[in-house]
């Protein structure tokens, strides 16, 4: 007869299995001199950090447990900022090993930052991706788009249009002006804020004259966008087939392509982006800059004269809509950028907003522009107040749970881009105030996207201990390469379930009740949680790129009293612990402060 009683050792063994702690970390790594934090679930006792020789080099007491509404878990935060020596570490909780992949490095985000930007090269239409640049993800050219038909909805168009280049929008092969608008703006602003850093950063893409890699990549999409402007100044909404194609490579999608629709939102998005491009490219290519500015002015004039031309999906079209029946935010965005570029007071941008930017919500971009151009806008202070108020909420949210600014209500389609845009917002608050809580909250947001989340996975393909292997992305699905194209941020968890159904091509139900942050499926069927998109990659590319730039000793370039300020280097004594200059502001004057002593931007002591 078998004993009905378990030994004490067996009970303890079962308990250790059932209640083993989980440590959620940034799987790419943490910067040596930066803020560092992990999230602990079902832990008990101190968290120990053990080096490769087996020595415990740091022991930390976790914070009190608190419930996080995104996942329904009661978790603790562990601050291990004092661990500064580069290397790979084992994490132990109450003596039990919970993971062995904690990395500390001087340049932790360097490679992932470049990969996030290089992904836009992999999205190029109309050209072959050569092995010397694309490696095993090389492919033939598809969608030359040199003989595109005008759909009946594309008013004013006749014959065919030569409209090559541009980026594929997402997992499909369409090209959409509205989504190109915010994506291109975000990358342009990354360059505009950190030119001293990105002038010299390379990631192996084809050269474009004397342009830095970042501007070369952006110009590939700008060149396409310019082809989409009609002679009257209006801009066509999108260039796609009538239906989404199957799972094929770009050169195998041979269905007829159309220019479809013309809209106020597309036109004004275009105007704002071209206004930024005009000032960014002027020092490299004055002719191109002038062309962009002229296009911006024509588009703004058309959008102002046609304020309510909204895109309605034709009956015979089933590709992405990007429909938006409110163009006020797009007009303010275009006006603000045209005013900064031209100083023409006829471009009047109204108001400021604390709303996180998105393809249908451009007012947050107006807030960025006004708050960082104090001498140009009479309501710059109000814009700054709106920006800081929202940043304070995000920083408070990031102080618990998984350190991400999001709450359960922020988990909707493309939730990872919501997180990334919150991180960008927090960086703007840091630029304006120098308050490290905003910078640290932005770093924690990047940590979330790179592994410190309830799914314990990096959401960027090709990076991390565990990352998506089956994104909804046609080239990655059809190219015969086991690994997906690297550097893609997947949309992320959300409970909408738009891709769930009983058809063969639909997903099983992957939603987790009461845990929107766990409602994710790493499967090609899941276009609602596992697709990729240019407007999702651009904010995380900004977030990682800006953090790398800041930590290289480059401060953001922005307008203070009408003067563009750029600080390529400051001596160590004038840097904060994270390596960034100790910027301070007084009546829109910027200076550096150390131990109560003020210095100008060249490090000279001020009287």
């Amino acid at each position: 007869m078998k004993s009905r009683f378990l030994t004490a050792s067996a009970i303890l063994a079962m308990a250790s299995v059932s209640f083993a702690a989980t440590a959620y970390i940034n799987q790419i790594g943490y910067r040596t001199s930066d803020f560092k934090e992990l999230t602990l679930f079902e832990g008990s006792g101190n968290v120990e950090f053990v080096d490769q020789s087996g020595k415990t080099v740091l022991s930390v007491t976790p914070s009190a447990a608190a419930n996080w509404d995104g996942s329904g878990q009661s978790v603790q935060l562990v601050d291990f900022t004092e661990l500064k020596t580069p290397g790979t570490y084992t994490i132990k909780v109450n003596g039990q090993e919970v993971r062995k992949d904690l990395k500390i490095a001087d340049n932790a985000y360097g490679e992932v930052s470049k990969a996030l930007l290089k992904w836009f090269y992999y999205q190029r239409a109309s050209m072959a991706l050569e092995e010397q640049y694309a490696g095993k993800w090389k492919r033939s050219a598809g969608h030359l788009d040199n003989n595109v038909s005008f759909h009946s909805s594309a008013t004013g168009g006749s014959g065919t249009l030569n409209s090559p280049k541009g980026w594929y929008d997402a997992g499909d092969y369409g090209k959409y002006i509205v989504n190109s608008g915010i994506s291109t703006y975000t990358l342009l602003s990354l360059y505009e804020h950190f030119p001293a850093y990105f002038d010299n950063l390379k990631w192996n893409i084809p050269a474009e004259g004397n342009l830095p890699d970042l501007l070369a990549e952006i110009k590939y999409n700008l060149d396409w966008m310019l082809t989409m402007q009609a002679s009257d100044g209006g801009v066509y909404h999108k260039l796609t087939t009538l239906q989404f194609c199957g799972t094929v490579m770009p050169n195998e999608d041979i269905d007829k392509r159309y220019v479809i629709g013309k809209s106020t939102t597309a036109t004004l998005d275009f105007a704002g982006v071209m206004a930024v491009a005009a000032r960014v490219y002027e020092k490299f290519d004055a002719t191109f800059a002038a062309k962009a500015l002229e296009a911006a002015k024509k588009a703004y004039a058309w959008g102002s004269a046609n304020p309510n031309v909204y895109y309605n999906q034709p009956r015979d079209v089933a590709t992405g809509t990007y429909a938006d029946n409110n163009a006020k935010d797009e007009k303010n965005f275009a006006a603000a950028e045209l005013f900064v570029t031209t100083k023409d007071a006829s471009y009047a941008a109204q108001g400021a907003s604390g709303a996180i930017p998105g393809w249908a919500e451009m007012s947050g971009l107006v807030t960025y522009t006004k708050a960082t151009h104090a001498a140009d806008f009479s309501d710059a202070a109000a814009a700054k107040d709106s920006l800081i108020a929202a940043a304070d909420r995000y920083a408070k949210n990031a102080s618990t749970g998984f350190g991400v600014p999001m709450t359960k209500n922020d988990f909707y389609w493309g939730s990872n881009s919501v997180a990334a845009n919150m991180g960008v917002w927090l960086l703007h608050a840091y630029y304006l105030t120098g308050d490290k809580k905003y910078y640290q909250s932005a770093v924690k947001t990047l940590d979330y996207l790179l592994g410190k989340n309830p799914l314990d996975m990096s959401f960027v393909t090709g990076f991390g201990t565990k990352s998506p292997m089956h994104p909804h992305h046609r080239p990655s699905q059809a190219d015969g390469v086991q690994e997906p194209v690297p550097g893609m941020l997947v949309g992320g968890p959300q409970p909408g379930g738009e891709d769930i159904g009983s058809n063969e091509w639909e997903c099983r139900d992957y939603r987790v009740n009461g845990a929107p942050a766990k409602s994710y499926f790493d499967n090609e069927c899941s276009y609602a949680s596992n697709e990729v998109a240019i407007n999702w990659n651009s904010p995380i590319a900004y977030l990682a790129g800006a953090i790398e730039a800041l930590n290289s000793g480059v401060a953001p370039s922005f307008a203070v009293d009408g003067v563009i300020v750029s600080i390529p280097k400051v001596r160590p004594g004038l840097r904060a612990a994270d390596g960034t200059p100790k910027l301070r502001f007084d009546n829109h004057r910027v200076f550096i402060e150390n131990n109560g002593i003020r210095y100008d931007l060249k490090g000279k002591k001020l009287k």
Side-chain angles (χ1 to χ4, degrees):
M1 178 176 176
K2 293 184 177 179
S3 172
R4 296 171 59 190
F5 299 97
L6 296 174
T7 65
S9 61
I11 292 172
L12 287 172
M14 289 178 65
S16 66
V17 172
S18 300
F19 300 102
T22 303
Y24 302 93
I25 67 171
N26 179 332
Q27 297 174 10
I28 278 69
Y30 296 81
R31 295 187 59 88
T32 52
S33 60
D34 225 335
F35 175 80
K36 305 177 189 70
E37 184 180 79
L38 62 81
T39 293
L40 184 66
F41 177 56
E42 294 188 337
S44 175
N46 278 11
V47 177
E48 298 177 333
F49 299 85
V50 182
D51 67 15
Q52 290 182 309
S53 72
K55 178 182 178 182
T56 298
V57 295
L58 182 67
S59 179
V60 179
T61 300
S63 68
N67 184 70
W68 188 57
D69 64 3
S71 64
Q73 294 168 281
S74 181
V75 295
Q76 299 166 281
L77 290 173
V78 179
D79 183 339
F80 61 102
T81 302
E82 292 308 307
L83 185 59
K84 298 179 183 295
T85 304
T88 301
Y89 295 84
T90 295
I91 301 173
K92 291 184 177 181
V93 179
N94 199 26
Q96 180 184 27
E97 183 180 295
V98 295
R99 64 188 313 147
K100 303 175 68 173
D101 58 342
L102 176 69
K103 300 180 183 68
I104 308 295
D106 292 332
N107 189 31
Y109 312 136
E111 292 305 309
V112 71
S113 175
K114 289 188 284 188
L116 290 163
L117 290 166
K118 184 168 180 176
W119 178 65
F120 290 89
Y121 163 75
Y122 288 113
Q123 289 295 99
R124 288 188 184 190
S126 311
M127 69 175 288
L129 303 189
E130 301 174 13
E131 186 173 7
Q132 63 174 313
Y133 303 112
K136 58 186 173 183
W137 297 282
K138 63 183 179 181
R139 58 172 169 80
S140 300
H143 307 104
L144 301 182
D145 289 339
N146 54 11
N147 192 31
V148 180
S149 298
F150 285 94
H151 189 270
S152 59
S153 61
T155 56
S158 62
T160 60
L161 181 68
N162 184 29
S163 190
K165 296 188 176 183
W167 299 318
Y168 297 130
D169 179 71
D172 64 290
Y173 296 132
K175 300 188 293 191
Y176 303 80
I177 287 291
V178 167
N179 213 34
S180 274
I182 190 167
S183 305
T184 308
Y185 166 86
T186 302
L187 297 183
L188 281 169
S189 66
L190 178 59
Y191 177 85
E192 190 169 30
H193 292 158
F194 299 100
Y197 181 75
F198 285 100
D199 275 345
N200 300 303
L201 191 67
K202 294 185 176 298
W203 50 86
N204 189 32
I205 61 173
E208 174 77 16
N210 64 339
L211 293 176
D213 278 6
L214 180 52
L215 294 188
E217 190 57 65
I218 295 169
K219 188 174 182 295
Y220 195 85
N221 197 58
L222 289 170
D223 285 343
W224 166 68
M225 292 179 71
L226 286 165
T227 70
M228 293 287 282
Q229 185 174 39
S231 59
D232 62 1
V235 178
Y236 298 113
H237 197 77
K238 64 181 179 178
L239 193 165
T240 73
T241 51
L242 297 181
Q243 308 289 322
F244 288 121
C245 70
T247 306
V248 298
M249 294 299 287
N251 61 299
E252 297 171 331
D253 176 23
I254 57 175
D255 288 351
K256 191 173 182 179
R257 306 261 285 182
Y258 293 86
V259 175
I260 303 172
K262 183 188 283 186
S263 69
T264 304
T265 52
T267 301
L268 293 171
D269 279 340
F270 172 99
V273 169
M274 290 301 164
V276 181
R279 61 181 186 258
V280 167
Y281 284 85
E282 185 176 20
K283 70 177 182 179
F284 296 101
D285 187 340
T287 300
F288 178 77
K291 179 180 180 181
L293 183 56
E294 182 61 24
K297 292 177 178 179
K298 286 183 63 177
Y300 186 83
W302 189 93
S304 298
N306 298 273
N308 302 310
V309 180
Y310 300 124
Y311 179 76
N312 292 306
Q313 186 87 305
R315 289 187 177 182
D316 60 339
V317 178
T319 52
T321 58
Y322 291 108
D324 177 8
N325 291 339
N326 181 358
K328 291 181 180 179
D329 51 323
E330 284 83 3
K331 184 174 183 182
N332 282 326
F333 163 64
E337 298 305 333
L338 274 162
F339 178 69
V340 170
T341 301
T342 67
K343 299 300 185 290
D344 182 343
S346 67
Y347 298 114
Q350 304 298 318
S353 166
I356 280 295
W359 65 262
E361 179 52 78
M362 304 291 276
S363 57
L365 304 186
V366 181
T367 304
Y368 289 165
T369 299
K370 288 187 173 184
T372 56
H373 291 78
D376 291 337
F377 295 97
S378 60
D379 57 349
K384 179 181 176 182
D385 289 345
S386 293
L387 194 151
I388 299 302
D392 283 339
R393 293 195 302 272
Y394 300 147
K396 182 179 179 180
N397 291 343
S399 66
T400 60
F402 283 80
V404 68
M406 305 167 75
T407 67
K408 66 179 181 180
N409 295 327
D410 295 312
F411 286 90
Y412 44 84
W413 196 316
S415 67
N416 282 340
S417 74
V418 177
N421 275 303
M422 287 178 171
V424 174
W425 191 281
L426 285 159
L427 285 180
H428 279 76
Y430 175 62
Y431 304 157
L432 291 166
T433 66
D435 191 330
K436 288 180 63 177
K437 76 176 181 181
Y438 302 125
Y439 172 80
Q440 290 181 352
S441 297
V443 170
K444 290 194 282 187
T445 304
L446 187 58
D447 290 343
Y448 167 86
L449 294 169
L450 297 178
K452 198 183 83 173
N453 56 65
L455 293 166
D456 191 26
M457 70 182 299
S458 164
F459 289 119
V460 177
T461 57
F463 288 84
T465 309
K466 174 187 175 185
S467 62
M469 289 298 294
H470 307 286
H472 185 86
H473 178 244
R474 281 166 179 75
S476 294
Q477 295 170 245
D479 62 8
V481 179
Q482 182 178 0
E483 300 90 351
V485 172
M488 301 189 290
L489 178 69
V490 297
Q494 61 99 6
E498 294 86 353
D499 48 18
I500 294 170
S502 58
N503 292 312
E504 182 181 353
W505 51 271
E506 291 178 304
C507 295
R508 61 169 174 77
D509 195 343
Y510 54 83
R511 293 169 292 184
V512 180
N513 187 38
K518 292 184 176 180
S519 299
Y520 166 82
F521 192 20
D522 181 17
N523 191 285
E524 296 164 358
C525 70
S526 187
Y527 55 83
S529 77
N530 209 36
E531 192 171 7
V532 299
I534 57 175
N535 66 311
W536 300 342
N537 249 66
S538 54
I540 188 178
Y542 183 106
L543 181 60
I547 290 173
E548 278 297 293
L550 287 166
N551 282 284
S552 75
V554 178
S557 298
F558 50 92
V560 178
D561 288 341
V563 179
I564 297 295
V565 177
S566 181
I567 314 170
K569 296 286 183 182
V570 295
R571 64 178 187 263
L574 302 181
R575 297 184 190 180
D578 60 10
T580 61
K582 298 178 179 179
L583 297 180
R584 293 293 181 266
F585 299 84
D586 185 10
N587 294 325
H588 307 313
R589 183 184 183 187
V590 64
F591 54 88
I592 302 169
E593 186 173 76
N594 186 43
N595 294 326
I597 301 174
R598 296 181 176 186
Y599 302 81
D600 68 17
L601 300 179
K602 296 181 180 179
K604 182 179 178 181
K605 188 183 296 185
L606 296 173
K607 294 181 180 180

